Each structure stands twice: as C-alpha cells, then as structure tokens.
Amino acid sequence: MPRSIADQTVEELGGPTSVLVRQRNDHVELDRLLHELDGSTGTAQERVLRKIDRLVFSHAFAEETVLWPVIRRVLPDGDALTGQVEEEHQEVNELVAELETLAHGDPRRAERLERLVQVLREDVRDEEDVLFPRLQEALDAKALRRLGLQWEVARRVSPTRPHPTVSRRPPGNAVSGLPLSLLDRSRDLVDAGVQHGPARLAPAGEVVSRGLAAVAGWVERVPLARRGDDGRPTSR
C-alpha cells in the first residue's frame, strides 16, 4: 500500500520543488484557513472565504490542466481516479457560487459552509492518500520536479473564483483559463480597493466588479469552455 504524501519527508517526495511538496504546502495552508473559518461570522467570515477561494481555485485549476492529464496518461485507472476528484472540485465550485448569493442570515448558509469544509477535507485526503502516492510510483524525482514547475506556472495564471459551468478538463478549462484569470484577479484588486479604499469610491468600485463578473459569465457560457475531452457534462 503506497504511503500518504502527508507522512513522507520533503526528500522522499522529490525535493522542495517537487509537485508533491508544492501540493502538500497548499494543503497545509488550506487547513490553517479552514480552522480560521471555523466560528467566524460576518465580514470576518467573508475575508477568510475569499482567501480560501484564491487558494483553492488556482490550486485546482493547475491540477486539472497540468497534473490530471499526466495521471490519466501514466496510470491505467487514471481516468477513474481523476474523475472522482473532478467531481469534488465541481461541487466546491457550485457550493462557493451558491454561498456568494446567500445572505448571512439565510439558514442555508451554515449548511452549505459545513458541506464545503467537508468536501475540501475529503479532496485533500483523496489526493494525499490515493492519487499522489500512485503518481509518485509512476514518476521519478526529476519528473516530479519538472511537473512542480509546470504546476506553479499554471497556478500563477489561474482563475481565483468559482466557475461551475466551465469544464474540469481540456480543452474547456485550458481555453477559458487565461481570460477568467485576468477577470478574476482584476476583480480581486477592485474588491480589495472597495474594502480598504475611501468610502466615496466604493460605489464605483462595486459597479466595476459587477461588470467584470458579467464578462466572466459570458466567458463561462462560450460552448468551447464547457467541453472536456471525456464528453462529460460540466455541472453535476
């Protein structure tokens, strides 16, 4: 039985630039943020959720565009393995998109938050205990370090917000990734300005943010963005 990457040293995982180490580092940060989310309310909860969004969606996009195609190529059961994790990623997209529409007083909000945390923790375990040990068996340390560089580049130009109608597989995610990343990261800057800037500029900033969101919605609806190489529908 392959060992979980959670129980291995950095050297065993291929060194600090290995994709397995980079993945685990993100999982450690996610765990910290989930603990911070627990018990938070109001604007404090929103701030933590935005940090989780920026981490989770860029991380998952890099996995889906760089790692999962490799796993499907080198493992005989790679399609089934990645398919399960893609389902988890899809549910996270849908839950976060729904949370953005729910007021803090809505009784459904606590239920959706609880489910979000559960799915995120399940996703980490599936990756660290199942997927990545199998990938580690198939690739040598040099290949893991090369994948780590590719994954890091992809993560830095990935979307940071939920896009539940976009395919979890190429070509859909690949063709929509860059425009959605530019729109999401622009919205992140605008929203930060609204939160921390002069109050008199907040209404204009909110208009700009809504406009960027509308353009992102248009990108999501482009037919090619919804198409994956497996022919599966995007939404569950």
Side-chain angles (χ1 to χ4, degrees):
M1 183 79 168
R3 288 167 60 207
S4 171
I5 70 166
D7 301 326
Q8 299 186 47
T9 67
V10 169
E11 289 71 27
E12 288 176 311
L13 295 175
T17 60
S18 162
V19 69
L20 303 181
V21 174
R22 294 175 190 267
Q23 287 274 329
R24 188 172 67 180
N25 289 343
D26 269 12
H27 291 168
V28 170
E29 174 63 9
L30 174 61
D31 182 66
R32 185 191 69 78
L33 288 171
L34 291 178
H35 282 293
E36 186 178 340
L37 180 68
D38 187 31
S40 64
T41 57
T43 56
Q45 184 181 89
E46 290 295 338
R47 283 195 297 270
V48 180
L49 278 172
R50 284 300 303 128
K51 291 178 184 178
I52 291 173
D53 291 351
R54 286 193 293 271
L55 174 67
V56 164
F57 291 122
S58 60
H59 175 104
F61 182 88
E63 288 177 334
E64 292 165 356
T65 55
V66 173
L67 290 187
W68 296 174
V70 172
I71 288 177
R72 289 193 286 270
R73 187 173 68 247
V74 301
L75 297 179
D77 55 347
D79 188 72
L81 289 170
T82 57
Q84 179 177 339
V85 176
E86 287 167 341
E87 283 283 327
E88 293 165 350
H89 289 184
Q90 181 64 26
E91 186 172 1
V92 168
N93 270 264
E94 293 170 5
L95 285 166
V96 173
E98 185 179 5
L99 280 167
E100 290 181 347
T101 69
L102 297 178
H104 284 274
D106 193 309
R108 294 171 294 175
R109 186 176 178 86
E111 177 193 336
R112 300 300 192 275
L113 268 177
E114 182 180 358
R115 178 58 184 165
L116 175 63
V117 172
Q118 180 184 4
V119 176
L120 288 171
R121 293 201 181 281
E122 289 174 355
D123 181 66
V124 169
R125 293 276 52 84
D126 285 340
E127 292 178 4
E128 292 194 353
D129 299 346
V130 181
L131 251 70
F132 295 144
R134 294 286 306 282
L135 180 65
Q136 185 182 25
E137 289 183 327
L139 300 178
D140 60 21
K142 183 178 180 180
L144 291 172
R145 290 192 292 270
R146 184 168 60 250
L147 265 181
L149 176 60
Q150 295 169 354
W151 178 86
E152 185 63 32
V153 170
R155 187 171 72 117
R156 291 177 181 271
V157 293
S158 294
T160 61
R161 293 176 182 254
H163 299 288
T165 65
V166 171
S167 172
R168 307 262 67 82
R169 296 191 177 194
N173 60 357
V175 299
S176 62
L178 184 57
L180 288 175
S181 176
L182 291 171
L183 291 164
D184 287 355
R185 291 168 189 267
S186 297
R187 277 188 76 194
D188 291 343
L189 291 173
V190 171
D191 290 352
V194 168
Q195 184 177 355
H196 302 293
R200 58 187 171 80
L201 297 179
E206 290 168 357
V207 170
V208 172
S209 182
R210 288 196 297 270
L212 291 168
V215 176
W218 179 84
V219 173
E220 290 181 32
R221 290 190 292 274
V222 172
L224 185 57
R226 302 184 177 205
R227 196 170 76 209
D229 60 10
D230 58 349
R232 297 175 187 168
T234 297
S235 299
R236 293 178 305 116

